[in-house]
Amino acid sequence: MGSPAPTVKSLNSVYSLNVEAQTQRYDRLSRKFADIYGAKPDFIARAPGRVNIIGEHIDYCGFPVFPMAIAPDMLIAVHANGTDRVRISNVNTEKYPARDFRTAEIFEIDSKVHEWSNYFKCGYRGLFEHIGRSGGNGFDALLDGTVPAGGGLSSSAAFVCATQLAVQRVNGINLTQVELASIAADAERYVGVNSGGMDQTASIMGQQGSALFIEFDPALKATPVKLPESNPPFVFVIANTLVVSDKHVTAPVCYNLRVVETRIGALILASHLGVADHRACKDADPLTFKVAMDEYFATQDTAGSDTVQMWIDHLSAMLHASNAAFGSHPDGYTREQMAAALDMTPDALSAAVHEDRFPVRAQRFKLLQRAQHAFSEALRVVKFRQICQSGDTRLNYCTALGDLMNCSQDSCRDLFECSCPEIDELCALARRAGSFGSRLTGAGWGGCTVHLVSRDKVESVKQVLVSEYYAKKFPNMTAAELDNALFATAPGCGACYYE
């Protein structure tokens, strides 16, 4: 049935670094809560951000990804107030003004309005719709988030997940981690963002010391994968471009457009493979590259086959099939060309991929490049896990894993076109300073980069990034701002309650 979110009594169970600073932060949050609401919080719900080590923009294609939870997080201090009102405040009152709702009003979300409390409403509404209730108990909440918004570390997922934890405990609900992750992924659609589920799963189910190999099809499954030991050990350095990529604002031409391109690509690829009329493809809503691939190989005798090698063989075959299916349109398709390829009208095609819920703006749709990225990136994820679990002491783990990360960045930049000049610059600087692998992480178009660095070179890599990037582009940054933008991290704990 799965496990519920854990409750911890000590922050040593949550953070591996800077525990004393975190203890002071929790204490400040509790004191400020008492100042605002006149009572102590009953508990604090906590959900972390995540960094995706490899596997970008393929979760919504049905393919596995390889993220880890990190220390930056969202905290929500909560106290049941015995009324029908939910009052929410933020420690950053200037940027995020307090809100007061009746419980029934929280279901009303205008996705066209960019309002911070909408993400709180997403978590609230998603939870109650899942259990079939129209509302719950009133409570007071104070939020403190350290995941940078628009930084590619899933601040919105941390917000929604922490909200769900807070709401369910106040209302005596105790869903499993798998249920919470699935509900949170679906809930972001209320603000017009089409989420694949990786961010929420990593936030809810993260484990200290391990990354997660997350699979979405045929069912959500998160497998902890311990990162290999090397000499010297390696860590991941996160460097924020400080270019804000707001999915809510840019979705029609960036994130949601890529989702629609891969969905239409899956429809055309299934037709090319001769499986479009198979029940598995007809029943899939939406059809993904993973479903089309699996159906194509469904009759293959896999008895006794090595699972990893089967993944590699199937994904490699799909790369060739994609070239055949989309190669006649290297510069992209018009809507009319895509519809004609499927013997549909453009309006019917838009309906088939639910474009009414997630509108996009594009003259041409680059299906060839998006398919090439999706299948090759999935292949890199499988190989990354294979290397981590190989136990091959002769292997230079840093070089092998770093090479895959570098190839991922090339694909994100050239095929999926979700990089930007600042991401490219940070990756180039870090590699020259000693990073084995550097790539964007998160949706891209700004946000953060992740770098695989041996522990003995962390400070030298950071110094190069400070002097060659931050000092030149952001000369007035404070030390605290720089610490938030550039830091080393290891796999961290997932969502939990602190009492």
Side-chain angles (χ1 to χ4, degrees), residues 22-67:
Q22 292 291 352
T23 300
Q24 294 171 358
R25 176 182 168 221
Y26 278 64
D27 288 343
R28 286 196 302 272
L29 182 65
S30 295
R31 289 196 301 271
K32 189 171 183 65
F33 185 98
D35 291 342
I36 295 172
Y37 298 116
K40 293 181 178 180
D42 301 327
F43 62 88
I44 294 175
R46 182 255 180 191
R50 66 96 187 95
V51 59
N52 193 27
I53 301 172
I54 196 164
E56 222 59 72
H57 284 282
I58 60 172
D59 53 343
Y60 53 77
C61 298
F63 292 126
V65 293
F66 205 82

Side-chain angles (χ1 to χ4, degrees), residues 171-486:
N171 288 278
I173 303 164
N174 196 27
L175 300 176
T176 67
Q177 292 174 313
V178 171
E179 288 175 308
L180 288 168
S182 178
I183 297 167
D186 289 341
E188 283 203 50
R189 73 182 187 272
Y190 297 129
V191 289
V193 173
N194 197 350
S195 177
M198 170 187 66
D199 302 343
Q200 298 79 10
T201 305
S203 181
I204 293 287
M205 303 176 71
Q207 292 190 17
Q208 273 190 321
S210 295
L212 294 176
F213 181 81
I214 301 177
E215 300 169 82
F216 304 95
D217 183 82
L220 179 65
K221 179 183 178 183
T223 303
V225 177
K226 189 172 179 58
L227 297 178
E229 296 180 1
S230 64
N231 187 20
F234 66 85
V235 297
F236 294 96
V237 172
I238 310 301
N240 194 336
T241 63
L242 299 178
V243 174
V244 176
S245 175
D246 191 323
K247 285 195 292 186
H248 176 88
V249 175
T250 64
V253 294
C254 293
Y255 189 89
N256 284 356
L257 177 57
R258 296 301 184 274
V259 174
V260 168
E261 286 176 315
T262 61
R263 287 183 177 180
I264 296 174
L267 291 170
I268 294 177
L269 181 61
S271 178
H272 173 79
L273 295 173
V275 298
D277 290 332
H278 291 202
R279 177 155 300 279
C281 291
K282 292 177 71 173
D283 289 349
D285 185 20
L287 181 64
T288 64
F289 283 136
K290 172 68 161 49
V291 172
M293 180 184 79
D294 286 349
E295 190 58 21
Y296 181 71
F297 290 106
T299 59
Q300 184 183 66
D301 183 8
T302 59
S305 300
D306 177 75
T307 302
V308 172
Q309 191 57 50
M310 189 168 63
W311 267 107
I312 292 172
D313 292 343
H314 289 184
L315 290 166
S316 298
M318 288 299 101
L319 276 170
H320 292 295
S322 297
N323 291 334
F326 309 117
S328 60
H329 293 76
D331 296 323
Y333 290 71
T334 64
R335 286 182 179 273
E336 291 72 22
Q337 288 171 331
M338 294 187 300
L342 293 164
D343 195 24
M344 304 170 71
T345 66
D347 287 344
L349 177 58
S350 293
V353 296
H354 302 294
E355 196 179 331
D356 56 328
R357 281 165 38 194
F358 307 104
V360 302
R361 297 194 304 271
Q363 296 299 314
R364 303 191 77 84
F365 296 74
K366 296 185 178 181
L367 307 189
L368 172 64
Q369 292 86 343
R370 309 318 183 216
Q372 287 176 328
H373 169 78
F375 288 114
S376 65
E377 184 77 346
L379 193 55
R380 285 185 284 272
V381 171
V382 172
K383 290 181 177 179
F384 202 98
R385 177 182 177 179
Q386 183 184 40
I387 291 170
C388 287
Q389 297 182 318
S390 68
D392 187 350
T393 56
R394 299 167 299 172
L395 194 62
N396 185 321
Y397 290 114
C398 291
T399 299
L401 298 175
D403 286 348
L404 290 172
M405 292 175 66
N406 290 331
C407 288
S408 172
Q409 172 59 22
D410 292 344
S411 183
C412 286
R413 181 190 63 230
D414 301 333
L415 296 177
F416 222 70
E417 297 178 282
C418 58
S419 190
C420 69
E422 293 82 0
I423 289 174
D424 299 338
E425 182 179 356
L426 276 175
C427 289
L429 288 169
R431 288 169 188 161
R432 287 200 296 269
S435 169
F436 289 96
S438 297
R439 59 181 297 278
L440 65 84
T441 185
W445 298 289
C448 285
T449 56
V450 57
H451 312 271
L452 193 158
V453 179
S454 60
R455 188 169 292 172
D456 61 334
K457 290 188 177 180
V458 167
E459 291 308 315
S460 60
V461 170
K462 289 173 65 176
Q463 287 172 10
V464 168
L465 298 183
V466 169
S467 62
E468 297 299 317
Y469 184 83
Y470 294 105
K472 292 180 178 180
K473 294 182 182 295
F474 307 98
N476 297 321
M477 284 185 74
T478 66
E481 290 171 336
L482 187 59
D483 286 342
N484 287 331
L486 179 64

